[in-house]
Amino acid sequence: MQEQLQYLPSYLGGHLRLVLVALGFGAGISIPLGIVATRFKRMESTILGVAGVIQTIPGLALLAIMVPLLNMIGIIPALVALTLYSLLPILRNTVVGIREIDADIVEAGRGIGMTNKQLLRMVQLPLAIPVIIAGLRTATVWVVGIATLSTPVGATSLGNFIFSGLQTRNNAAILVGCVAAAVLALILDWIIHAFETGVREQNRGKIWIASVASAIVLILAGTLGIGTPGFSAEKDKTITIGSKPFTEQYILSEFLSQYVDREIGYSTEKVQNLGSTVAFDALVENQIDIYVDYSGTLWNMHMKNKEMPTDPDQLLNQLSDYLSEKYGVTVAVPLGFENAYCLAMKGSEAAKLGIEGIDDLRRYQNSLVMGSDVEFFGRPEWSRLQEEYDLHFKATRSMDAVLMYEAIREDQVDVISAYTTDGRIDAYNLTILEDPAGVFPPYDAVVLLSPEMSSSSVLIRNIRKLEDSISAEVMRKMNLEVDQNDRSPQQVGVELYRRIIEQNLR
């Protein structure tokens, strides 16, 4: 718990800034639109309809859409998505608040010669404020919750606790993230409510308390976590290291951070929990500088129509040439281990059924349930598995990778799409099934450099010293330290650095 709390200032600061700025933009757009809707009846249904459609898009999907639309990761796509998500409650309450004002009051205003602008400014808006503020309170609670989903698009938020905690089975991290988000939502809601009741009741005490609380929140938003990714004023002087959302990537990002900082002398910052395509796109756009990916994944995701060589070295050479020519990305060095996709079963069940290879699954597939991580069934490997082995399982279930391993241990699924360097394969006595058709390509772990960093001879020269420095056995043990022995990825990443660099490369 203590280790998690040290990250709270930066994650809370990032979360708070996202929420406050998004709500500011949301209110600034929604209230004028709501006024327009009440003035032009034909536009009301269109404006509310568009806001309603936006609201129906799942929060994570809306954030993910912003990455390709804006061609960037980080704060901007998160802010745009959160602003859109805040529109409907404020907009709808503005319309309702103005329309529900007693018609006699409006007529009385007209009777004493008020213009439409005077009516709006002196009568309608003041009377509608309680309803508009109720919408703002609803939007605040929504945005605080949805902002936790900003982590996968590269924006620092309290979701960093939740996503990393889920992947590493760190309940303390999940608890800190959830409690902090809930407390933040309650505090912001209370401040808005205190302002509203203070103004309505002409209670100076409430207004003063709410003003002080608001000032404290703004000070926290302006100071907490300044310097974290996306808010650093000195980005050009640091190396930004990306990682995908699973244990091995967290460890490797910490390992690279230690290496770049201590061996090369550059300061570093980490942007974690990026999806596969988001991480690569961010690298191509120089929004991150380095991250580790896998040769088979890169081939499948970016060279879809090219026949894949079975020789790992040949694949790596062709891949390096392709990424360099098409994207300006440098494949700096293979780290020495392969983390391949594979199919795995409980060892006892595989022995009982006489299953050694994927082709043996056909005899029992109608009674077997297969589980996978959330992206496997959408990858080319799954299509080729079905074609080559004619596989048709009784059911398929997508889930978080952590839950996938728990599911096979608890007999809730029979086969999973495992990772060969995952320590839980040994810990849970799982058997990796042979792949006689060679569907799964080589997945050598490689360090990628952005186009901008590809011109840094110092960085390339030093990164290449890491060639073949990490064995699959060592990586499996490091993963197990996090997944089974409850150590943090940061601790294990530092241990890996000391073990590999201080013992072998000096």
Side-chain angles (χ1 to χ4, degrees):
M1 178 65 77
Q2 188 174 1
E3 182 185 359
Q4 296 303 319
L5 291 177
Q6 69 178 322
Y7 300 114
L8 184 58
S10 63
Y11 294 170
L12 178 60
H15 198 98
L16 198 49
R17 283 185 285 273
L18 283 175
V19 169
L20 294 181
V21 175
L23 285 173
F25 281 128
I29 296 170
S30 299
I31 294 174
L33 272 180
I35 293 170
V36 170
T38 60
R39 291 292 182 270
F40 304 96
K41 184 68 177 175
R42 291 181 179 177
M43 296 181 66
E44 179 179 334
S45 59
T46 302
I47 293 173
L48 288 174
V50 171
V53 168
I54 292 171
Q55 203 70 42
T56 63
I57 302 173
L60 186 58
L62 188 60
L63 284 157
I65 288 171
M66 290 301 140
V67 174
L69 281 181
L70 301 176
N71 198 28
M72 62 171 64
I73 66 165
I75 298 168
I76 301 301
L79 273 180
V80 173
L82 294 174
T83 299
L84 291 173
Y85 225 77
S86 71
L87 295 181
L88 182 61
I90 307 174
L91 176 61
R92 185 173 55 200
N93 279 36
T94 301
V95 173
V96 171
I98 293 175
R99 288 216 179 280
E100 289 193 348
I101 294 172
D102 193 323
D104 292 339
I105 296 176
V106 176
E107 284 305 313
R110 295 188 193 283
I112 61 174
M114 283 186 170
T115 64
N116 285 338
K117 287 184 179 178
Q118 288 173 323
L119 269 175
L120 178 67
R121 181 167 51 86
M122 300 174 69
V123 177
Q124 291 172 308
L125 278 181
L127 291 175
I129 278 179
V131 182
I132 296 172
I133 288 181
L136 180 62
R137 292 175 64 188
T138 302
T140 300
V141 175
W142 285 6
V143 171
V144 169
I146 296 295
T148 59
L149 301 176
S150 302
T151 297
V153 299
T156 300
S157 74
L158 292 169
N160 286 45
F161 284 120
I162 297 169
F163 280 89
S164 63
L166 283 172
Q167 293 299 324
T168 60
R169 301 180 65 195
N170 188 328
N171 293 330
I174 298 172
L175 184 63
V176 171
C178 292
V179 170
V183 170
L184 179 61
L186 290 173
I187 289 174
L188 294 180
D189 181 64
W190 177 84
I191 290 173
I192 296 170
H193 180 62
F195 260 125
E196 186 265 328
T197 55
V199 171
R200 179 162 43 84
E201 298 169 1
Q202 297 294 303
N203 186 327
R204 293 185 178 180
K206 280 188 177 180
I207 295 174
W208 185 83
I209 292 172
S211 299
V212 171
S214 299
I216 293 173
V217 168
L218 290 174
I219 291 171
L220 291 176
T223 55
L224 285 178
I226 295 296
T228 53
F231 289 97
S232 172
E234 298 183 347
K235 182 184 180 303
D236 291 345
K237 300 179 181 178
T238 62
I239 300 296
T240 305
I241 300 171
S243 72
K244 300 183 190 182
F246 56 91
T247 299
E248 184 170 289
Q249 287 276 315
Y250 299 145
I251 295 172
L252 291 173
S253 66
E254 182 63 36
F255 166 75
L256 285 175
S257 176
Q258 294 287 324
Y259 180 75
V260 171
D261 185 18
R262 298 189 186 191
E263 304 298 324
I264 308 178
Y266 293 161
S267 60
T268 62
E269 58 187 16
K270 297 190 289 288
V271 179
Q272 298 183 321
N273 294 301
L274 303 174
S276 291
T277 54
V278 172
F280 185 80
D281 291 346
L283 187 82
V284 172
E285 296 297 327
N286 296 304
Q287 293 168 353
I288 61 174
D289 300 313
I290 306 175
Y291 84 103
V292 175
D293 213 323
Y294 306 92
S295 57
T297 297
L298 290 165
W299 188 286
N300 281 323
M301 301 296 286
H302 304 289
M303 301 177 67
K304 297 176 182 175
N305 298 323
K306 295 182 181 295
E307 186 177 347
M308 184 182 299
T310 55
D311 178 66
D313 292 335
Q314 188 181 357
L315 184 150
L316 198 55
N317 289 334
Q318 291 187 26
L319 180 68
S320 300
D321 293 342
Y322 179 83
L323 294 183
S324 177
E325 292 172 7
K326 185 170 178 63
Y327 300 105
V329 166
T330 296
V331 179
V333 66
L335 288 173
F337 70 91
E338 181 186 9
N339 185 7
Y341 263 120
C342 63
L343 296 193
M345 295 182 69
K346 269 187 166 181
S348 57
E349 190 67 12
K352 176 183 169 184
L353 299 177
I355 295 176
E356 296 181 351
I358 298 173
D359 49 339
D360 295 327
L361 288 172
R362 277 199 301 267
R363 301 199 303 268
Y364 304 97
Q365 59 180 328
N366 292 332
S367 61
L368 298 176
V369 176
M370 179 170 171
S372 84
D373 60 36
V374 293
E375 70 175 67
F376 182 75
F377 290 131
R379 291 176 62 111
E381 292 95 325
W382 173 240
S383 300
R384 288 204 299 273
L385 270 176
Q386 291 180 298
E387 293 171 7
E388 291 290 336
Y389 295 108
D390 192 25
L391 290 179
H392 301 283
F393 289 103
K394 175 184 176 183
T396 56
R397 296 176 183 170
S398 296
M399 62 194 81
D400 185 88
V402 175
L403 300 179
M404 178 181 74
Y405 284 95
E406 293 301 316
I408 194 167
R409 187 167 73 162
E410 299 297 329
D411 295 321
Q412 295 174 13
V413 298
D414 305 294
V415 185
I416 62 171
S417 57
Y419 320 118
T420 54
T421 56
D422 199 305
R424 286 167 291 194
I425 288 178
D426 292 336
Y428 294 176
N429 294 317
L430 302 181
T431 293
I432 295 176
L433 303 183
E434 296 173 3
D435 175 22
V439 167
F440 291 113
Y443 290 87
D444 291 303
V446 294
V447 179
L448 301 181
L449 301 182
S450 68
E452 190 174 295
M453 289 299 113
S454 295
S455 62
S456 172
S457 58
V458 174
L459 191 62
I460 292 176
R461 184 174 65 251
N462 282 282
I463 290 292
R464 282 181 174 163
K465 293 178 182 177
L466 296 175
E467 184 172 4
D468 295 334
S469 59
I470 304 174
S471 68
E473 182 184 4
V474 168
M475 198 65 246
R476 196 176 296 120
K477 287 181 179 177
M478 295 293 110
N479 288 332
L480 194 61
E481 286 295 312
V482 176
D483 294 330
Q484 283 294 108
N485 298 332
D486 297 329
R487 296 179 65 193
S488 72
Q490 291 75 25
Q491 291 174 327
V492 177
V494 172
E495 180 185 326
L496 181 62
Y497 163 76
R498 290 173 177 163
R499 182 170 181 165
I500 299 301
I501 305 303
E502 295 182 353
Q503 293 180 8
N504 299 333
L505 295 186
R506 287 182 175 172

